[in-house]
Amino acid sequence: MRALTALLLACFAASTVAAERAPDVVLRGELTGKDNHTYREVPFEVPAGTKRITIDVSYTGREQRTTIDLGLLGPGGFAEQDGFRGWSGGSKHRFTVSATDATASFLPGEIWPGRWRLLLGIPNIRPTSTASFTADVWFSNDDEGFGPEHGLSAPLKTTAGWYRGDLHMHTAHSDGGCLNASGTAKVPCPLFLTVVSAAKRGLDFIAISEHNTMSQVSEMRELQPYFDTMLMIPAREITTFEGHANLFGVSRPLDFRLGSPSVPDWNALTADVAKAHGLISINHPRRPNDETCMGCGFTPSKPVNMHGFQAIEAINGRDPERPETGIPFWEKQLNAGVRITGIGGGDSHDGSDGARDEFAGVIGVPTTVVRADALSMDGILDGIRAGHVFVDTEGTKDRMLEVTATAAGAGANAGAEAHMGDALRVAKGRQVHVAVTTAAVTGMRAIATLDGKRLSSTPIAADNTASLDWKSDGKSHWLRIDIRDATGKLILLGNPIYLNQPSP
Ligand SMILES: [Zn+2]
Ligand SMILES: [Zn+2]
């Protein structure tokens, strides 16, 4: 396993983590002993169109026990509605406030343009001390997602690697339910129980995807510093009468009322998602859409441009090969020339490792494994966009799949390599060598699928590898490697390498 990890890290040079942009405003000031036990308002102008304010405060003099408490005032007076926007005392140095979420201690609500004030309280500065403070202020507009400067937290890891997570779950903020503490009644299930369960499974990341709402984000902001090894990605399950789709990484409200004048069809909805720089994935496309599961199946009433979606939930819940599996739907899009990433989602609705009903899932089953530049929201979402993904159907901690296709022979493009999600050009008559590296799948087989049809079945060797060769006909194809056990059960679902297809 260690050798495999080293190999994989060697294949993918470490790249940089998205940096914070420079603050829009920097506020500075000085304090002296005369400021002890006083409050100071530090004004700043919020431009029209601002949807989020994020502030980071630092100051000198802590070694002399200088202390500055922080609060925020909107344009109104202290007692007016939207005037008082929160007080964190000395407990936080960075906080964010938007219409839809805020750091604990602060109040979400309308961001009015005009004169806001950073409120400083000075509970202690010695008579002869001086201190200087700096407040970096960022303004965000409607179509920014959660940028690094106002995201849930800093990246949890800045190293490239394979990270394991669950991209689909529900809590009290939508239809997650569980027994109350006394075990006597079913109640909306508190979000923290879901997060505790996911952390116990050892997941590297989770997306909490409530139906059409983002009311969970403030609570996620509160929990993220405590769950310091598990990244929390804000998401919502866009839930329509014509299907469900998970939207990741967008903070603003998004109109989900398909068929209304503002969102006539899925194409209008995905155009809105693109404007907000989100990632959208069609969920459980082949579930029924009837009285047993209302709106569940992907059943558009008007033609859909599938290029508006970046992923498909190929596996939802526990059985990847029941009749409702999304894999054939995904393959149909691939055959139509759409490069779209296959992912998984547990779809837990009860905050625990149990399952509510035949459709509801267990947290981490399946687990989506993403090769990302960093354990950060952007890192994981970019890894999904790139197709650097496989799905571990049983949600283990250690199963691995890496696929490298190499153009063999001499001449143009010889030796070029592609991994899952990448494209490779290979001229007609030339060989492609496909090398498969695995972990924890002893005795299983590597199954190659070309354009939806089985190409080969190769036993995994004792050194955890398998390989095959394929002769190119120069035409456009996709080639995927899955791992199945001795009974034929799907264990790992790979993403395709795109042969002779144009880059997106
Ligand atoms: Zn759903
Ligand atoms: Zn769901």
Side-chain angles (χ1 to χ4, degrees):
M1 184 62 197
R2 191 170 297 160
L4 174 66
T5 305
L7 173 73
L8 296 174
L9 290 176
C11 288
F12 304 111
S15 66
T16 53
V17 173
E20 291 181 1
R21 65 179 166 87
D24 297 295
V25 173
V26 179
L27 309 170
R28 289 195 172 88
E30 307 293 329
L31 299 173
T32 69
K34 289 183 186 149
D35 293 301
N36 194 36
H37 289 193
T38 65
Y39 296 97
R40 186 184 295 191
E41 294 183 3
V42 185
F44 58 97
E45 293 296 323
V46 173
T50 300
K51 298 295 182 182
R52 179 182 297 280
I53 301 170
T54 302
I55 303 180
D56 192 302
V57 179
S58 56
Y59 59 92
T60 63
R62 286 176 195 266
E63 72 285 354
Q64 296 178 312
R65 307 296 295 270
T66 299
T67 299
I68 302 179
D69 292 342
L70 300 176
L72 184 65
L73 299 175
F78 194 95
E80 288 174 49
Q81 191 180 12
D82 288 330
F84 174 67
R85 299 305 290 266
W87 177 257
S88 64
S91 68
K92 309 197 175 62
H93 67 89
R94 177 176 292 212
F95 57 89
T96 189
V97 174
S98 79
T100 52
D101 64 80
T103 304
S105 308
F106 293 88
L107 303 168
E110 187 76 32
I111 305 297
W112 303 105
R115 175 154 293 206
W116 287 57
R117 287 145 294 160
L118 176 66
L119 181 58
L120 308 182
I122 300 98
N124 191 58
I125 183 167
R126 293 175 187 166
T128 56
S129 290
T130 59
S132 56
F133 63 84
T134 304
D136 292 337
V137 183
W138 290 269
F139 304 123
S140 314
N141 68 35
D142 202 23
D143 286 329
E144 287 179 276
F146 294 92
E149 61 281 353
H150 49 244
L152 278 171
S153 75
L156 297 190
K157 287 182 189 168
T158 56
T159 48
W162 289 93
Y163 293 109
R164 313 177 87 90
D166 189 342
L167 293 162
H168 192 162
M169 60 195 68
H170 301 271
T171 77
H173 290 272
S174 55
D175 56 349
C178 55
L179 287 178
N180 59 10
S182 61
T184 54
K186 195 165 167 191
V187 296
C189 201
L191 181 141
F192 80 92
L193 288 178
T194 290
V195 177
V196 167
S197 295
K200 275 187 188 154
R201 276 199 82 93
L203 295 176
D204 297 312
F205 64 90
I206 55 170
I208 301 179
S209 54
E210 308 292 2
H211 291 291
N212 287 337
T213 192
M214 292 287 280
S215 63
Q216 74 276 25
V217 175
S218 294
E219 204 174 342
M220 291 167 70
R221 288 188 184 281
E222 179 193 336
L223 295 184
Q224 179 70 86
Y226 179 79
F227 292 93
D228 58 331
T229 63
M230 187 174 71
L231 180 77
M232 294 187 208
I233 299 174
R236 80 197 80 171
E237 183 168 17
I238 295 174
T239 304
T240 79
F241 304 134
E242 303 180 10
H244 297 181
N246 268 5
L247 171 62
F248 304 97
V250 174
S251 62
R252 71 160 155 94
L254 191 127
D255 198 341
F256 54 85
R257 299 168 297 174
L258 275 195
S260 67
S262 52
V263 198
D265 56 20
W266 276 106
N267 297 336
L269 197 147
T270 58
D272 198 14
V273 167
K275 238 176 102 194
H277 311 293
L279 188 161
I280 184 167
S281 170
I282 297 172
N283 291 348
H284 44 68
R286 280 293 164 261
R287 286 265 196 86
N289 183 352
D290 58 21
E291 289 186 341
T292 67
C293 201
M294 288 169 241
C296 294
F298 189 67
T299 49
S301 59
K302 294 183 187 148
V304 177
N305 176 6
M306 290 298 296
H307 293 278
F309 297 90
Q310 293 77 47
I312 290 173
E313 193 180 63
I315 301 177
N316 174 281
R318 286 161 296 161
D319 185 353
E321 296 191 285
R322 63 189 176 192
E324 305 85 13
T325 172
I327 296 172
F329 176 87
W330 176 41
E331 293 186 338
K332 193 174 155 197
Q333 314 314 317
L334 296 172
N335 285 343
V338 182
R339 282 175 65 169
I340 190 163
T341 304
I343 61 174
D347 211 356
S348 163
H349 280 74
D350 69 356
S352 76
D353 283 350
R356 184 185 61 164
D357 57 34
E358 70 163 312
F359 289 129
V362 174
I363 295 167
V365 183
T367 291
T368 301
V369 191
V370 181
R371 204 273 298 166
D373 289 342
L375 183 56
S376 64
M377 189 186 81
D378 286 343
I380 296 297
L381 297 187
D382 283 348
I384 293 172
R385 288 185 180 98
H388 299 155
V389 173
F390 69 90
V391 183
D392 181 337
T393 65
E394 294 181 338
T396 72
K397 290 182 168 63
D398 52 359
R399 286 179 179 156
M400 282 296 305
L401 172 65
E402 171 58 12
V403 183
T404 306
T406 309
N413 215 27
E417 277 189 4
H419 302 276
M420 286 188 284
D422 299 342
L424 185 68
R425 293 209 155 272
V426 193
K428 183 179 177 182
R430 298 270 295 278
Q431 291 284 328
V432 177
H433 182 71
V434 180
V436 181
T437 309
T438 66
V441 293
T442 306
M444 300 191 193
R445 300 182 79 85
I447 310 296
T449 299
L450 186 76
D451 306 328
K453 296 189 184 73
R454 182 170 291 202
L455 181 71
S456 64
S457 169
T458 313
I460 306 288
D463 66 353
N464 294 320
T465 66
S467 68
L468 63 118
D469 292 282
W470 175 78
K471 191 176 181 181
S472 173
D473 59 5
K475 292 182 182 147
S476 171
H477 299 280
W478 58 267
L479 173 71
R480 192 184 79 224
I481 303 294
D482 300 330
I483 304 297
R484 291 179 182 270
D485 71 9
T487 70
K489 185 172 183 235
L490 181 61
I491 298 298
L492 302 177
L493 177 76
N495 262 272
I497 290 172
Y498 299 93
L499 299 160
N500 297 318
Q501 289 194 17
S503 289

